[in-house]
């Protein structure tokens, strides 16, 4: 979400979305898709598509919310295959294709972050102002670096008719308006995130987020978002080549198969089990019959436990939360099963093959491998000369066809931004 829309307090900020897409690109295996998205044209499409959905919030238009979700994204994927054919694509088409993968990254990242990291932040830090999206964006810049500015690209000829088919009327001017704000956000956040005093204020407000934002052991953190997005992209690319049903029923699970040390508490946010699916799900057909939670290894027929099922964000969401209905036992292994044919996607299809993963509440036999958080100094925030900053900030705050709201703490930071210190 964007800083300009103070009422929207969910999800990753735009700079975090860019960070996730860039990291996911690094995680892709060598091959056609990585080459395509790494090309100049593909990367331009990727970064534009990554920021695009939140531009709609900035201008208060419904195109933003719809841009987050698979119905619009899948329609665009079909448009790409109809217009360009199936992969491989050459670089002259890569901006259109990259835009699709950027939008897909954005939608999936928001769901993964919100369902796990934000849910923990709510418990440990509360719901605060400024919002988690704004604050975590600035903290991420301070820890993982900002993102360079980039030229605008929007595939108007595809998107405008596809939005119309979904009952959303939008024109080029509106898309330009929202997108210009989305593209400017990394510059503004990068500037604030390079100011140690500003970072300290946000860190004091969100100490748990500040400590764990780049912690790959915390479910829903940006490093794990990038892993899910990379897996999602490979699935989407496969479907562009041949739209056949997925064999693996889920993209990822938290805890992961074979994990140790899973928390046991009843109604503890940490004891929830999260399953991320490769297709948006049909909420009305999702229930406990689609899953089993039982003691023991997958091949064992252990005692079954009660649990509740929540499709996070409802219709077309990819993320299912299972909450155990009783306290988990000490040093016990549990298996979660996804029942073949019982999870329905939003188009009525099922996942014909089931799957199972197991985790333990006991300690790992030896030290578990931990991910090293990416390092950065937060210097990369902008390619713009610093002398442009005051004018740009004023233009950013006041320009456009309507006046935007800026949260009070951020407005204060903007007012003092002219005296920002370099990293
Ligand atoms: Zn968003």
């Amino acid at each position: 979400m964007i800083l300009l829309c103070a009422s929207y307090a969910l999800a990753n900020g735009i700079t975090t979305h860019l960070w996730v897409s860039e990291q996911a690109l690094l995680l892709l295996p060598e091959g056609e898709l990585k080459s395509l998205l790494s090309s100049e044209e593909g990367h331009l499409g990727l970064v534009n598509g990554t920021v695009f959905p939140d531009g709609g919030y900035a201008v208060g238009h419904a195109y933003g919310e719809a841009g987050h979700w698979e119905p619009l994204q899948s329609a665009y994927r079909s448009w790409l295959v109809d217009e360009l054919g199936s992969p491989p694509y050459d670089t002259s088409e890569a901006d259109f294709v990259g835009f699709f993968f950027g939008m897909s990254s954005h939608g999936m990242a928001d769901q993964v972050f919100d369902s796990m990291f934000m849910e923990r932040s709510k418990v440990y830090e509360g719901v605060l102002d400024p919002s988690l999206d704004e604050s975590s964006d600035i903290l991420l810049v301070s820890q993982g670096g900002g993102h360079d500015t980039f030229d605008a690209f929007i595939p108007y000829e595809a998107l405008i008719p596809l939005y119309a088919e979904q009952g959303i009327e939008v024109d080029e001017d509106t898309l330009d308006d929202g997108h210009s704000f989305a593209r400017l956000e990394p510059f503004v956040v990068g500037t604030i995130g390079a100011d140690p005093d500003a970072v300290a204020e946000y860190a004091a407000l969100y100490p748990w987020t500040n400590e764990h934002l780049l912690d790959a052991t915390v479910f829903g953190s940006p490093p794990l978002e990038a892993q899910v997005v990379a897996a999602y992209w490979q699935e989407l690319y496969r479907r562009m080549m041949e739209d056949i049903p997925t064999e693996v029923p889920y993209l990822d699970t938290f805890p992961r198969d074979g994990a140790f040390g899973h928390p046991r508490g009843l109604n503890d946010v940490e004891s929830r089990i999260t399953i991320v699916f490769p297709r948006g799900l049909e909420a009305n057909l999702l229930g406990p019959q689609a899953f089993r939670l039982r003691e023991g290894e997958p091949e064992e027929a252990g005692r079954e436990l009660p649990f509740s099922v929540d499709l996070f964000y409802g219709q077309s969401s990819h993320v299912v939360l299972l909450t155990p209905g009783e306290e988990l036992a000490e040093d016990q292994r549990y298996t979660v099963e996804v029942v073949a044919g019982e999870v329905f996607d939003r188009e009525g299809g099922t996942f014909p093959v089931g799957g199972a993963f197991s985790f333990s509440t006991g300690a790992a036999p030896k030290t578990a491998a931990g991910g090293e958080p990416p390092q950065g100094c937060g210097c990369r925030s902008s390619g713009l000369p610093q002398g442009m900053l005051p004018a740009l900030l004023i233009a950013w705050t006041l320009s456009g066809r309507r006046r935007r709201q800026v949260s009070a703490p951020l407005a204060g930071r903007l007012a003092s931004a002219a005296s920002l210190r370099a990293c």
Side-chain angles (χ1 to χ4, degrees), residues 185-208:
E185 193 269 14
F187 167 67
V188 176
V189 166
T191 305
I192 298 169
D195 175 2
D197 293 339
V199 170
E201 284 182 35
Y202 284 100
L205 206 54
Y206 288 92
W208 180 84

Side-chain angles (χ1 to χ4, degrees), residues 1-2 8 10-14 17 50-55 57 64-65 67-68 106-107 109-111 114 133:
M1 217 340 273
I2 196 162
Y8 186 78
L10 303 171
N12 286 141
I14 287 174
H17 279 295
T50 297
V51 307
F52 174 79
D54 282 351
Y57 295 134
E65 181 65 21
H68 281 71
H106 189 120
D110 275 346
Q111 292 176 61
D114 290 8
D133 59 310

Side-chain angles (χ1 to χ4, degrees), residues 27-284:
L27 292 171
L28 281 180
E30 298 300 324
E32 275 176 26
L33 180 57
K34 186 168 190 166
S35 297
L36 189 77
L37 299 180
S38 301
S39 69
E40 187 179 343
E41 298 84 352
H43 191 261
L44 180 70
L46 179 68
V47 291
N48 274 280
T50 297
V51 307
F52 174 79
D54 282 351
Y57 295 134
V59 294
H61 194 285
Y63 88 77
E65 181 65 21
H68 281 71
W69 295 99
E70 258 193 8
L72 189 278
Q73 294 169 9
S74 295
Y76 181 49
R77 191 186 76 224
S78 298
W79 182 92
L80 289 170
V81 172
D82 289 346
E83 293 293 318
L84 309 179
S86 295
Y89 300 112
D90 62 46
T91 52
S92 67
E93 303 157 333
D95 45 2
F96 281 82
V97 181
F99 194 92
F100 165 69
F101 285 93
M103 277 205 297
S104 302
S105 167
H106 189 120
M108 179 60 84
D110 275 346
Q111 292 176 61
V112 171
F113 182 82
D114 290 8
S115 62
M116 291 182 274
F117 197 96
M118 189 180 76
E119 288 290 293
R120 283 162 172 74
S121 170
K122 280 182 188 171
V123 172
Y124 303 141
E125 302 169 312
V127 178
L128 304 169
D129 181 27
S131 60
L132 177 63
D133 59 310
E134 172 185 322
S135 305
S136 59
D137 233 20
I138 288 162
L139 293 172
L140 183 125
V141 168
S142 75
Q143 298 177 27
H147 196 283
D148 294 326
T149 53
F150 49 88
D151 293 337
F153 169 76
I154 300 174
Y156 306 107
E157 61 270 53
L159 292 181
I160 290 172
L162 293 174
Y163 272 118
E165 285 173 15
Q166 299 209 356
I168 297 172
E169 297 299 330
V170 65
D171 56 27
E172 288 191 19
D173 283 348
T174 305
L175 293 178
D176 282 343
D177 206 14
H179 201 55
S180 65
F181 279 79
R183 285 174 50 244
L184 197 49
E185 193 269 14
F187 167 67
V188 176
V189 166
T191 305
I192 298 169
D195 175 2
D197 293 339
V199 170
E201 284 182 35
Y202 284 100
L205 206 54
Y206 288 92
W208 180 84
T209 292
N210 186 49
E211 187 177 346
H212 295 293
L213 195 58
L214 293 179
D215 182 349
T217 67
V218 172
F219 296 170
S221 65
L224 294 182
E225 290 178 71
Q227 293 177 21
V228 174
V229 166
Y232 185 40
W233 282 351
Q234 291 171 79
E235 166 65 13
L236 292 170
Y237 193 65
R238 193 185 66 77
R239 293 181 69 191
M240 292 176 88
M241 290 189 280
E242 189 179 11
D243 197 359
I244 56 174
T246 319
E247 288 191 10
V248 182
Y250 39 76
L251 281 178
D252 213 335
T253 67
F254 302 95
R256 283 172 165 161
D257 189 30
F260 287 92
H262 191 71
R264 302 163 42 230
L266 181 62
N267 297 322
D268 179 355
V269 68
E270 299 284 359
S271 68
R272 288 179 191 164
I273 299 150
T274 306
I275 307 171
V276 184
F277 286 87
R279 309 202 294 266
L281 302 186
E282 171 56 55
N284 293 322

